[in-house]
Amino acid sequence: DGLETYAELRKFNAHQRVILISGFTRAASNIAKAQQMGAGTYLRKPLTIESLAATIRSELDKGRVDSRVQPMKQPKNRILIVDDEPMIRKIFGMIVLSEFAEMIVDQVSNGREAIESFQKGVHSVIIMDLQMPEMDGRETFMEIGRLCNQNSWMLPSVIFCSGFSPPESLNTIIREGGIHCLLRKPVKADVLLHAVRQRLRA
């Protein structure tokens, strides 16, 4: 399939640029894995000639960036905590640092702040509340995904946290993405650390 083919191509050229195309929702897991490996924009079928041409133009133009400018890399030592409750942010931060003392832990209170922080830091793991003012966790995740596609950044692993039943759209993201998970609040320290540990090793 496309993911296996891309993996083989990278053995010959680690910087091979690829545009992902699919008409199946069940391909979301493979799309996420391919983009983690470095694949570019994902286009959903049916396509228009205009959208395909614009995407090819965009991918070609990425190769014209000044060679002195290094692409933004995703650090393995940066975690973002997103929650509108200050005490929860503080507790989660203390829990993470208790085991991962070398981590840089950024904390923000809503989805819009999360997007701004991610653009600056490109975190490898995001711990994010679902119910938040301005932008909820699912909307924030979708915008971060769009930014990753646009800039060829690796999609971060997201640990969603909520005390409420998640919408089916979120269950689909978790089920098909393969790199995300949902934890029910209140979250125990060992459960949170296990989830973080798994995603840092991914």
Side-chain angles (χ1 to χ4, degrees), residues 61-102:
D61 287 345
K62 288 177 185 177
R64 297 182 178 182
V65 176
D66 190 330
S67 60
R68 294 171 296 178
V69 179
Q70 295 298 313
M72 182 179 291
K73 297 180 180 179
Q74 183 163 11
K76 286 292 185 182
N77 66 336
R78 202 172 194 109
I79 290 178
L80 177 62
I81 297 174
V82 190
D83 200 295
D84 58 337
E85 292 289 338
M87 186 55 68
I88 291 179
R89 295 198 302 271
K90 182 177 180 180
I91 292 172
F92 280 3
M94 291 172 62
I95 291 172
V96 170
L97 289 172
S98 70
E99 180 166 334
F100 305 101
E102 77 284 359

Short mmCIF file of all heavy atoms in Angstrom, two decimals, residues 61-102:
data_model
loop_
_atom_site.label_atom_id
_atom_site.label_comp_id
_atom_site.label_asym_id
_atom_site.label_seq_id
_atom_site.Cartn_x
_atom_site.Cartn_y
_atom_site.Cartn_z
N ASP A 61 7.91 24.23 -4.34
CA ASP A 61 8.46 25.47 -3.81
C ASP A 61 9.18 25.26 -2.48
O ASP A 61 10.06 26.04 -2.12
CB ASP A 61 7.35 26.51 -3.63
CG ASP A 61 6.87 27.07 -4.96
OD1 ASP A 61 7.58 26.87 -5.97
OD2 ASP A 61 5.79 27.69 -5.01
N LYS A 62 8.81 24.22 -1.76
CA LYS A 62 9.50 23.94 -0.50
C LYS A 62 10.98 23.65 -0.73
O LYS A 62 11.81 23.88 0.12
CB LYS A 62 8.86 22.75 0.22
CG LYS A 62 7.49 23.06 0.79
CD LYS A 62 6.87 21.83 1.42
CE LYS A 62 5.46 22.12 1.90
NZ LYS A 62 4.81 20.91 2.45
N GLY A 63 11.29 23.14 -1.90
CA GLY A 63 12.67 22.83 -2.23
C GLY A 63 13.49 24.05 -2.56
O GLY A 63 14.70 23.97 -2.73
N ARG A 64 12.83 25.23 -2.68
CA ARG A 64 13.54 26.45 -3.04
C ARG A 64 13.94 27.28 -1.82
O ARG A 64 14.45 28.38 -1.97
CB ARG A 64 12.65 27.30 -3.95
CG ARG A 64 12.32 26.62 -5.28
CD ARG A 64 11.49 27.51 -6.16
NE ARG A 64 11.21 26.89 -7.45
CZ ARG A 64 10.52 27.46 -8.42
NH1 ARG A 64 10.03 28.67 -8.24
NH2 ARG A 64 10.31 26.83 -9.55
N VAL A 65 13.66 26.77 -0.64
CA VAL A 65 14.02 27.49 0.58
C VAL A 65 15.54 27.61 0.66
O VAL A 65 16.27 26.70 0.28
CB VAL A 65 13.48 26.74 1.82
CG1 VAL A 65 13.95 27.43 3.10
CG2 VAL A 65 11.96 26.68 1.77
N ASP A 66 16.02 28.73 1.14
CA ASP A 66 17.46 28.97 1.30
C ASP A 66 18.09 27.79 2.05
O ASP A 66 17.66 27.43 3.14
CB ASP A 66 17.66 30.27 2.11
CG ASP A 66 19.12 30.72 2.11
OD1 ASP A 66 20.01 29.86 2.03
OD2 ASP A 66 19.34 31.94 2.19
N SER A 67 19.14 27.20 1.47
CA SER A 67 19.75 26.03 2.05
C SER A 67 20.38 26.31 3.41
O SER A 67 20.66 25.40 4.19
CB SER A 67 20.83 25.47 1.11
OG SER A 67 21.84 26.45 0.89
N ARG A 68 20.59 27.59 3.74
CA ARG A 68 21.16 27.94 5.04
C ARG A 68 20.11 27.86 6.14
O ARG A 68 20.44 27.85 7.32
CB ARG A 68 21.74 29.36 5.00
CG ARG A 68 22.94 29.51 4.06
CD ARG A 68 23.30 30.96 3.90
NE ARG A 68 22.22 31.71 3.24
CZ ARG A 68 22.26 33.02 3.02
NH1 ARG A 68 23.32 33.72 3.39
NH2 ARG A 68 21.25 33.62 2.43
N VAL A 69 18.84 27.86 5.74
CA VAL A 69 17.76 27.80 6.73
C VAL A 69 17.43 26.35 7.02
O VAL A 69 17.05 25.60 6.14
CB VAL A 69 16.50 28.53 6.20
CG1 VAL A 69 15.38 28.44 7.23
CG2 VAL A 69 16.82 29.99 5.89
N GLN A 70 17.56 25.95 8.26
CA GLN A 70 17.27 24.58 8.65
C GLN A 70 15.78 24.42 8.92
O GLN A 70 15.17 25.29 9.55
CB GLN A 70 18.07 24.21 9.92
CG GLN A 70 19.56 24.21 9.70
CD GLN A 70 19.97 23.17 8.66
OE1 GLN A 70 19.53 22.04 8.69
NE2 GLN A 70 20.82 23.59 7.74
N PRO A 71 15.15 23.33 8.46
CA PRO A 71 13.73 23.12 8.73
C PRO A 71 13.49 22.94 10.22
O PRO A 71 14.35 22.45 10.94
CB PRO A 71 13.43 21.82 7.96
CG PRO A 71 14.73 21.13 7.86
CD PRO A 71 15.76 22.21 7.74
N MET A 72 12.30 23.36 10.67
CA MET A 72 11.96 23.19 12.07
C MET A 72 11.83 21.72 12.40
O MET A 72 11.15 20.97 11.71
CB MET A 72 10.64 23.90 12.39
CG MET A 72 10.25 23.81 13.87
SD MET A 72 8.72 24.68 14.22
CE MET A 72 9.23 26.38 14.00
N LYS A 73 12.53 21.27 13.43
CA LYS A 73 12.47 19.88 13.82
C LYS A 73 11.60 19.73 15.05
O LYS A 73 11.43 20.66 15.82
CB LYS A 73 13.88 19.36 14.11
CG LYS A 73 14.78 19.38 12.88
CD LYS A 73 16.16 18.86 13.21
CE LYS A 73 17.05 18.88 11.97
NZ LYS A 73 18.41 18.39 12.27
N GLN A 74 11.05 18.56 15.21
CA GLN A 74 10.20 18.32 16.36
C GLN A 74 11.03 17.82 17.52
O GLN A 74 11.59 16.73 17.48
CB GLN A 74 9.12 17.29 16.02
CG GLN A 74 8.16 17.06 17.17
CD GLN A 74 6.91 16.38 16.71
OE1 GLN A 74 6.86 15.89 15.59
NE2 GLN A 74 5.91 16.32 17.55
N PRO A 75 11.14 18.62 18.59
CA PRO A 75 11.96 18.19 19.72
C PRO A 75 11.29 17.07 20.50
O PRO A 75 10.07 17.01 20.59
CB PRO A 75 12.06 19.46 20.57
CG PRO A 75 10.81 20.23 20.24
CD PRO A 75 10.52 19.93 18.80
N LYS A 76 12.09 16.18 21.05
CA LYS A 76 11.57 15.10 21.86
C LYS A 76 11.48 15.50 23.33
O LYS A 76 11.07 14.72 24.16
CB LYS A 76 12.45 13.85 21.72
CG LYS A 76 12.28 13.13 20.38
CD LYS A 76 10.90 12.50 20.28
CE LYS A 76 10.77 11.67 19.01
NZ LYS A 76 9.42 11.09 18.88
N ASN A 77 11.90 16.72 23.65
CA ASN A 77 11.93 17.11 25.05
C ASN A 77 10.99 18.27 25.35
O ASN A 77 11.24 19.09 26.22
CB ASN A 77 13.36 17.49 25.47
CG ASN A 77 13.84 18.73 24.74
OD1 ASN A 77 13.35 19.06 23.66
ND2 ASN A 77 14.79 19.44 25.33
N ARG A 78 9.89 18.36 24.61
CA ARG A 78 8.96 19.46 24.81
C ARG A 78 7.52 18.95 24.83
O ARG A 78 7.08 18.26 23.91
CB ARG A 78 9.13 20.50 23.71
CG ARG A 78 8.62 21.88 24.10
CD ARG A 78 8.98 22.93 23.07
NE ARG A 78 8.77 24.25 23.63
CZ ARG A 78 9.74 25.09 23.97
NH1 ARG A 78 10.99 24.74 23.77
NH2 ARG A 78 9.47 26.27 24.48
N ILE A 79 6.80 19.28 25.91
CA ILE A 79 5.42 18.85 26.09
C ILE A 79 4.56 20.08 26.33
O ILE A 79 4.98 21.02 27.03
CB ILE A 79 5.30 17.86 27.27
CG1 ILE A 79 5.95 16.53 26.91
CG2 ILE A 79 3.84 17.63 27.66
CD1 ILE A 79 5.93 15.51 28.03
N LEU A 80 3.36 20.07 25.77
CA LEU A 80 2.43 21.18 25.95
C LEU A 80 1.21 20.69 26.74
O LEU A 80 0.60 19.67 26.39
CB LEU A 80 1.98 21.72 24.59
CG LEU A 80 0.92 22.84 24.62
CD1 LEU A 80 1.46 24.08 25.34
CD2 LEU A 80 0.50 23.20 23.19
N ILE A 81 0.88 21.39 27.82
CA ILE A 81 -0.31 21.08 28.62
C ILE A 81 -1.34 22.17 28.35
O ILE A 81 -1.08 23.36 28.53
CB ILE A 81 0.03 21.01 30.12
CG1 ILE A 81 1.02 19.88 30.38
CG2 ILE A 81 -1.24 20.80 30.95
CD1 ILE A 81 1.53 19.83 31.81
N VAL A 82 -2.54 21.75 27.92
CA VAL A 82 -3.61 22.68 27.56
C VAL A 82 -4.83 22.38 28.43
O VAL A 82 -5.47 21.33 28.28
CB VAL A 82 -4.00 22.56 26.07
CG1 VAL A 82 -4.92 23.71 25.68
CG2 VAL A 82 -2.77 22.51 25.19
N ASP A 83 -5.16 23.29 29.34
CA ASP A 83 -6.34 23.10 30.20
C ASP A 83 -6.73 24.46 30.77
O ASP A 83 -5.87 25.25 31.15
CB ASP A 83 -6.01 22.13 31.34
CG ASP A 83 -7.27 21.52 31.96
OD1 ASP A 83 -8.05 22.30 32.55
OD2 ASP A 83 -7.46 20.31 31.84
N ASP A 84 -8.04 24.72 30.85
CA ASP A 84 -8.50 26.01 31.35
C ASP A 84 -8.51 26.09 32.88
O ASP A 84 -8.80 27.15 33.44
CB ASP A 84 -9.88 26.36 30.79
CG ASP A 84 -10.94 25.33 31.11
OD1 ASP A 84 -10.57 24.18 31.37
OD2 ASP A 84 -12.13 25.68 31.11
N GLU A 85 -8.20 24.97 33.56
CA GLU A 85 -8.11 24.97 35.02
C GLU A 85 -6.64 25.10 35.44
O GLU A 85 -5.84 24.18 35.21
CB GLU A 85 -8.69 23.67 35.58
CG GLU A 85 -10.18 23.53 35.39
CD GLU A 85 -10.96 24.50 36.29
OE1 GLU A 85 -10.40 24.96 37.31
OE2 GLU A 85 -12.12 24.80 35.95
N PRO A 86 -6.26 26.23 36.07
CA PRO A 86 -4.85 26.44 36.46
C PRO A 86 -4.30 25.33 37.36
O PRO A 86 -3.14 24.93 37.20
CB PRO A 86 -4.89 27.78 37.21
CG PRO A 86 -6.12 28.47 36.69
CD PRO A 86 -7.11 27.38 36.41
N MET A 87 -5.12 24.83 38.29
CA MET A 87 -4.63 23.80 39.20
C MET A 87 -4.31 22.50 38.46
O MET A 87 -3.32 21.82 38.77
CB MET A 87 -5.65 23.54 40.30
CG MET A 87 -5.16 22.58 41.39
SD MET A 87 -3.60 23.13 42.14
CE MET A 87 -4.14 24.60 43.00
N ILE A 88 -5.15 22.16 37.49
CA ILE A 88 -4.90 20.94 36.71
C ILE A 88 -3.61 21.09 35.90
O ILE A 88 -2.79 20.17 35.84
CB ILE A 88 -6.10 20.63 35.78
CG1 ILE A 88 -7.30 20.20 36.63
CG2 ILE A 88 -5.73 19.53 34.77
CD1 ILE A 88 -8.54 19.89 35.83
N ARG A 89 -3.40 22.26 35.31
CA ARG A 89 -2.16 22.49 34.55
C ARG A 89 -0.96 22.32 35.46
O ARG A 89 0.04 21.69 35.10
CB ARG A 89 -2.15 23.89 33.93
CG ARG A 89 -3.19 24.12 32.87
CD ARG A 89 -2.85 25.34 32.01
NE ARG A 89 -2.70 26.57 32.79
CZ ARG A 89 -3.69 27.40 33.08
NH1 ARG A 89 -4.93 27.11 32.69
NH2 ARG A 89 -3.47 28.51 33.76
N LYS A 90 -1.04 22.90 36.65
CA LYS A 90 0.07 22.83 37.60
C LYS A 90 0.35 21.39 38.03
O LYS A 90 1.50 20.95 38.04
CB LYS A 90 -0.25 23.69 38.83
CG LYS A 90 0.88 23.73 39.85
CD LYS A 90 0.53 24.65 41.01
CE LYS A 90 1.66 24.69 42.03
NZ LYS A 90 1.34 25.60 43.17
N ILE A 91 -0.72 20.64 38.36
CA ILE A 91 -0.56 19.26 38.81
C ILE A 91 0.00 18.39 37.69
O ILE A 91 0.94 17.61 37.90
CB ILE A 91 -1.90 18.69 39.31
CG1 ILE A 91 -2.30 19.39 40.61
CG2 ILE A 91 -1.80 17.18 39.53
CD1 ILE A 91 -3.68 19.05 41.09
N PHE A 92 -0.56 18.52 36.48
CA PHE A 92 -0.05 17.74 35.34
C PHE A 92 1.43 18.05 35.09
O PHE A 92 2.22 17.15 34.80
CB PHE A 92 -0.87 18.03 34.09
CG PHE A 92 -2.18 17.30 34.02
CD1 PHE A 92 -2.60 16.48 35.06
CD2 PHE A 92 -3.01 17.41 32.91
CE1 PHE A 92 -3.82 15.81 35.00
CE2 PHE A 92 -4.22 16.74 32.84
CZ PHE A 92 -4.62 15.93 33.89
N GLY A 93 1.79 19.34 35.18
CA GLY A 93 3.18 19.71 34.96
C GLY A 93 4.10 19.09 35.99
O GLY A 93 5.19 18.59 35.65
N MET A 94 3.67 19.08 37.25
CA MET A 94 4.48 18.47 38.32
C MET A 94 4.62 16.97 38.11
O MET A 94 5.69 16.40 38.33
CB MET A 94 3.83 18.77 39.67
CG MET A 94 3.91 20.22 40.09
SD MET A 94 2.94 20.59 41.58
CE MET A 94 3.77 19.55 42.78
N ILE A 95 3.54 16.32 37.67
CA ILE A 95 3.58 14.87 37.43
C ILE A 95 4.57 14.54 36.32
O ILE A 95 5.41 13.64 36.45
CB ILE A 95 2.17 14.35 37.07
CG1 ILE A 95 1.26 14.41 38.30
CG2 ILE A 95 2.25 12.92 36.55
CD1 ILE A 95 -0.20 14.10 37.99
N VAL A 96 4.50 15.27 35.21
CA VAL A 96 5.38 15.01 34.07
C VAL A 96 6.85 15.23 34.47
O VAL A 96 7.72 14.40 34.19
CB VAL A 96 5.01 15.91 32.87
CG1 VAL A 96 6.09 15.83 31.78
CG2 VAL A 96 3.66 15.52 32.31
N LEU A 97 7.11 16.34 35.15
CA LEU A 97 8.49 16.66 35.52
C LEU A 97 9.04 15.73 36.60
O LEU A 97 10.26 15.60 36.74
CB LEU A 97 8.58 18.11 35.99
CG LEU A 97 8.42 19.16 34.88
CD1 LEU A 97 8.33 20.56 35.47
CD2 LEU A 97 9.58 19.08 33.89
N SER A 98 8.15 15.06 37.34
CA SER A 98 8.62 14.13 38.37
C SER A 98 9.37 12.95 37.75
O SER A 98 10.26 12.37 38.38
CB SER A 98 7.44 13.61 39.20
OG SER A 98 6.62 12.73 38.43
N GLU A 99 9.04 12.60 36.52
CA GLU A 99 9.73 11.50 35.84
C GLU A 99 10.60 11.98 34.70
O GLU A 99 11.64 11.39 34.40
CB GLU A 99 8.73 10.47 35.31
CG GLU A 99 9.41 9.31 34.60
CD GLU A 99 8.49 8.13 34.37
OE1 GLU A 99 7.54 7.95 35.15
OE2 GLU A 99 8.73 7.37 33.41
N PHE A 100 10.19 13.07 34.05
CA PHE A 100 10.94 13.57 32.89
C PHE A 100 11.49 14.96 33.23
O PHE A 100 11.03 15.97 32.70
CB PHE A 100 10.03 13.63 31.66
CG PHE A 100 9.36 12.33 31.34
CD1 PHE A 100 8.04 12.11 31.69
CD2 PHE A 100 10.05 11.31 30.70
CE1 PHE A 100 7.41 10.90 31.39
CE2 PHE A 100 9.43 10.10 30.40
CZ PHE A 100 8.11 9.90 30.76
N ALA A 101 12.48 14.97 34.09
CA ALA A 101 13.03 16.24 34.58
C ALA A 101 13.68 17.07 33.47
O ALA A 101 13.80 18.30 33.59
CB ALA A 101 14.06 15.97 35.69
N GLU A 102 14.08 16.41 32.39
CA GLU A 102 14.74 17.12 31.29
C GLU A 102 13.75 17.78 30.34
O GLU A 102 14.14 18.51 29.44
CB GLU A 102 15.63 16.14 30.51
CG GLU A 102 14.90 15.21 29.54
CD GLU A 102 14.16 14.06 30.24
OE1 GLU A 102 14.23 13.97 31.48
OE2 GLU A 102 13.52 13.25 29.54
#
